[in-house]
Amino acid sequence: MLNDADLAALAITLKLASVTTLILLLLGTPFAWWMARTRWRYKFMLEAVIALPLVLPPTVLGFYLLVALGPEGPVGGLMELLGGEPLAFTFTGLVIGSVLYSMPFVVQPLQGAFASIGRRPLEVAATLRASPLDRFFTVAVPLARSGFLTAAVLGFAHTVGEFGVVLMIGGNIPGQTQVLSIAIYDHVEMLEYGHAHWLSGGLLLASFIMLMSVYALNRRFSLVRP
Amino acid sequence: MSIEIRFRIDRSDFVLDVDVEIPATGITAVFGPSGCGKTTLLRAIAGLEPCGDGFLRVGEMRWQEGAHFMPPHKRPVGYVFQEASLFAHLNVRKNLEYGVKRVPVSQRKVSMERAIELLGIGPLLEHRADQLSGGERQRVAIARALAVSPGILLMDEPLAALDQARKQEILPYLESLHDELDIPVIYVSHSPDEVARLADHLVLLEAGRIRASGPIGEMLTRLDLPLAYGNDAEALIEAEVAGHDDEYDLTLLDFPGGRFTVTRHDLPVGHAVRVRVTARDVSLTLEHQSGTSILNIFPATIEEISPAGNAQMMVKLICGDVPMLARVTRKSASVLDLKPGKLVYAQAKSVALLS
């Protein structure tokens, strides 16, 4: 069944996915709100940037992150200058990579949900004396709840399922940066198919259950909304 | 008390340029064809339409002037949109409470219970918005707007999205608002019938500009406005119930120009009513006719005559001090030698009670 390294990988994976989802919801909500409502003419460029992880090989993103976060890179160098550690091959580095990599899976459903509300309910709320912030929390958020559910589950599930980015910037340090998907890879490399079966089957089941609950709770679910 | 509105809104396809002062009492209808800017004007009053250059004074309060722009949630308006736009995530009661909760207790003049009662939505309170019919939804939306105790109620064609039966369901409620609440209303509409039943004051909007503005009875009978030339051109006359004729089942209505006789309506003596007299139902004679079945005959003075098409003339009459319209053929006008100042008898073949 599962050995200690597998359990550690499971814990790191869950922690990584939870932290990433939380950060993405906190950052992605105001961003998606702005994207859904702005009439800025160059918005399409930002949308393309956000969508990049959908089509880019994870190794490309991982490679650039490795360069940026390493001791010679701008972010890693800055960290060293401030007396910290470079971020490559650390859990923090993994979180940064995951946030970027899973961003479209959180931002797009939120943006779609906010856009589909339209302006009318917010105008109604304004004429009922609700301030802009009040309108956001009492009208926009409740009306976009299916978008939040979709965003949270997809962000979480996609982070659990990531492989390439983690391998590039996290290395494969058991107990620190080794996540489940990489643990499976290692097992297969060492021909430990029994272990690989347990982990793969577990991930398959968990992913299926998560996605099924999204589809069931949100019939209008779609990955990329126009 | 009045409301002073000066807006200039430039869009690529449309310009709204209005400068008008309307009374801060009763119902003011903003009337005009689709696309003339009625909705934009109403939205600008509510602060929902960005409008850089504008001036808006409601009573003593300046809502907009130069750089000062009071945001919509600070303006004491109630707004009823064309579609009810109830919050889908709240039931009827919570929809009503949404606004009420945000109004300081000291400013609550219309209680939620009163709004519920006025619109007859008591039985619907625990329903979700999507369980209501179109008419019920719009009644809830009106109650929701009233429950914030607005200083002014803005209504954007609240009946336009409804079928005829639903309109008839809601109109009595709107009329009762007029009678029971002392809240000025700006009512956008392109339906002459709604305007005739509800409005006290009329603003005529054409292609983004104010064509004319004034009391409804005066506006409908002005021969320099298009209103007097439609097939349904009409005069609206305020009258009051003088008594009933029990033998023939008739009701008598007094107005400054005389007394109307209409089929019986069970209204108390003294009750104020609005009467509609359509121009095509009014004929003119030079002497008082005796051998006629027409009951409603009034002496009148011709004030103005204007051609209506090739064969007909529109005649504006003054009965007492009340304007009335008669549509006659050009031939009749010539034979009778109709001209301003002449005394005639107006015979109204039918008279309709509106409220």
Side-chain angles (χ1 to χ4, degrees), chain B residues 103-248:
Chain B
V103 174
V105 177
S106 62
Q107 289 171 26
R108 293 182 194 166
K109 291 182 215 114
V110 183
S111 68
M112 199 167 122
E113 291 69 32
R114 181 99 173 97
I116 290 167
E117 175 206 349
L118 273 170
L119 274 301
I121 55 169
L124 309 175
L125 288 178
E126 305 309 323
H127 288 51
R128 284 201 324 267
D130 60 4
Q131 295 172 312
L132 306 180
S133 72
E136 288 169 340
R137 272 204 289 276
Q138 199 55 285
R139 271 153 59 196
V140 173
I142 295 168
R144 183 175 66 176
L146 276 179
V148 295
S149 307
I152 181 167
L153 188 58
L154 307 172
M155 305 181 100
D156 184 8
E157 309 212 35
L159 306 184
L162 304 175
D163 60 38
Q164 200 53 39
R166 297 284 90 72
K167 281 184 190 165
Q168 295 310 322
E169 169 194 330
I170 295 187
L171 265 168
Y173 291 107
L174 294 181
E175 284 169 343
S176 70
L177 296 188
H178 183 261
D179 298 339
E180 308 226 354
L181 296 177
D182 186 25
I183 298 175
V185 179
I186 300 183
Y187 189 97
V188 160
S189 178
H190 69 267
S191 153
D193 190 54
E194 286 167 33
V195 171
R197 285 185 61 166
L198 298 170
D200 303 307
H201 194 89
L202 185 62
V203 174
L204 191 60
L205 204 58
E206 262 177 24
R209 284 164 202 281
I210 305 281
R211 173 74 190 272
S213 161
I216 181 89
E218 210 175 275
M219 290 282 287
L220 289 179
T221 54
R222 270 175 62 173
L223 297 190
D224 61 336
L225 297 178
L227 301 169
Y229 296 96
N231 190 41
D232 295 319
E234 64 195 11
L236 293 179
I237 296 162
E238 306 296 336
E240 95 177 18
V241 178
H244 301 280
D245 180 335
D246 294 326
E247 188 184 353
Y248 292 108

Side-chain angles (χ1 to χ4, degrees), chain A residues 63-80 85-89 169:
Chain A
F63 171 66
Y64 284 124
L65 277 169
L66 183 65
V67 171
L69 300 183
E72 308 296 323
V75 181
L78 186 71
M79 287 300 290
E80 275 204 324
E85 297 283 307
L87 294 171
F89 307 112
I169 62 170

